[in-house]
Amino acid sequence: DRVIFKGIVPFTKVPDYLSASDIGISYIPLDSPQNIQPPLKIPEYLANGIPVIATKTIGNKMYIKNRYNGILMNDSIKSIKSAIVELVNKCDLKIMSRQAENSAKKFDNILIAKKLKKIYKDVRNNVK
């Protein structure tokens, strides 16, 4: 009674759904071609302080630190069920939510641009 399957929603409505969410799920089969590339929804969930349950793909592991900002799972029904139950019943969602939001900060475009600017200046100063 607390899960909503909406399918595709307009981009303008995504913030409404994110603000109403306590957890996010990112299921990608482990043998999928998308194993390497994480979906955009993971950093969106994290930036909004939403802990993520995600399959243990290479891409998802770049964002999710198990039991810190989410839970990594296998792609079996049993594993998904177990991860949902663990996150809802055994984890402190307030703490994990803060950790999720903090973990997304390193992917902030402004911080990345500042790092690139510093690198550019260092290179420029060392080129003769």
Side-chain angles (χ1 to χ4, degrees):
D1 66 337
R2 294 175 44 189
V3 177
I4 299 171
F5 292 97
K6 285 299 289 182
I8 298 172
V9 297
F11 183 74
T12 57
K13 295 289 184 187
V14 171
D16 297 333
Y17 286 95
L18 290 176
S19 66
S21 299
D22 295 318
I23 64 171
I25 297 178
S26 178
Y27 171 79
I28 298 172
L30 295 177
D31 61 354
S32 168
Q34 292 109 350
N35 185 331
I36 297 171
Q37 178 64 41
L40 179 59
K41 65 182 158 186
I42 291 192
E44 289 175 338
Y45 288 152
L46 296 174
N48 283 279
I50 301 170
V52 183
I53 294 172
T55 42
K56 295 178 184 177
T57 64
I58 294 167
N60 287 345
K61 288 181 195 178
M62 290 190 297
Y63 287 100
I64 305 300
K65 183 177 176 187
N66 200 31
R67 292 179 180 80
Y68 176 78
N69 59 358
I71 294 180
L72 292 167
M73 63 181 176
N74 292 316
D75 64 356
S76 69
I77 292 171
K78 181 180 178 182
S79 182
I80 295 167
K81 177 185 171 187
S82 177
I84 292 169
V85 169
E86 179 179 346
L87 187 60
V88 172
N89 291 335
K90 297 180 182 176
C91 295
D92 186 327
L93 284 176
K94 286 183 182 183
I95 292 172
M96 198 174 270
S97 176
R98 256 192 324 273
Q99 293 169 168
E101 190 172 355
N102 287 335
S103 69
K105 289 179 181 176
K106 68 180 175 181
F107 302 107
D108 182 276
N109 287 334
I110 293 171
L111 293 177
I112 292 169
K114 286 179 181 178
K115 287 180 185 178
L116 288 174
K117 185 176 179 181
K118 182 183 179 326
I119 291 168
Y120 170 73
K121 284 181 179 180
D122 289 348
V123 169
R124 187 182 66 196
N125 292 335
N126 289 308
V127 173
K128 297 184 185 214

